[in-house]
Amino acid sequence: MNGSWKRAGRFGAALALVLAGALACGDNATSTPEQPASAGTGTTTAAPPSPPAGVVEFQQAEPGSGKGITIGFTQLSLASGFPQDVQKGVEEQAKRAGAELITCDSKMDAAKALDCANLFKTRGAQGLITFQADTNAAPRICAAGPAVPVLAVDISQKPCETSFVGAANAYAGQLIGYELGKHFKEKFDCKYDAFVSLEALQVGEVNEQRMGGIRQGFASVCGEVRNLRKLDAGGAGGDVAQKLMTDTLTALPGQHHIILVGINEDGILGALAAARAQNRTNDLYLGVQNFNPKNCVIYQHPNWIGSVAYFPERYGEILVPNLIKAIKGEKLPAQLLVPHLVINKANAKQNYPDYAC
């Protein structure tokens, strides 16, 4: 399955998972907890998860390859960090290719996305990048726009979608789950007290892939997940996550090895606030989705195992070169998926030069 939001329902659910999270710095605790009291159910030795079919490498646009080409880009919402990063990358690659780029912000509104499609038809766009939230409106939006190649970003845009560009959700989950499993096998013989999963149930398939992938990756090293606590934090709900985590920690007194995973970093920030209020920051071990180099509260945590990067700032390196190929008649795969990577203290600066946590 691809990373589309087709079961996400309303627009807010789609936005919830693309938000990178609030900006914050702090939380410098460094003490080490005691060994966990509860035992694991057995361990296995597993190889790291392999990328699925459709994962591609980032590739800069060939200079001049887009000369004479006009690209229309429907944005999800430029009020949010993730789309802003995507926008920057697309602009850079279009400029590098020499293509004209027309951007139209749908502002999470299907009617505005329809206006964008009409604009691109009027302006003679030869290819479209479409990042809009309502898959049910996609047929109308497709019909309104020009009959040209369309790359859908993170949200399926059938029937006119040429290729889907976005996250390999299950794989992204497996990557961080595997790293958590490795850490707990090496440090604690796979012993831990609880496994808390901050989820966004309203996005359905994406949540199942991403969070189920985390459990699969962990289980490949440490066996089936025990004492699982699924908390529906609603995707971008930092306040909701804080309340849920407050209740969860209260129900886990005296337990110092609690694995905490999240569908994005906003929920983790809320959970950390709950832990600080109970003086239990060091009880948590963090594995996170959707790395944002400015979320220092997470990265300065002593038990941050890693965060999976989705590289929104590099989406343009997939979108622009491949759209130009499609405009010139080259057949593209049905999916062009992001090459996810686990970011940790050892490699953060290498992959994000502006990382300063």
Side-chain angles (χ1 to χ4, degrees), residues 179-190 221-222:
E179 292 300 320
L180 283 164
K182 270 203 324 180
H183 181 85
F184 269 81
K185 182 175 182 180
E186 292 169 2
K187 301 293 185 181
F188 307 118
D189 193 27
C190 286
V221 182
C222 280

Side-chain angles (χ1 to χ4, degrees), residues 1-4 6-7 52-53 164 167-170 205 209 335 337:
M1 301 296 293
N2 65 29
S4 75
K6 61 187 177 183
R7 297 186 190 176
F164 172 89
N169 288 297
E205 180 181 29
Q209 291 175 340
Q335 295 185 118
L337 303 179

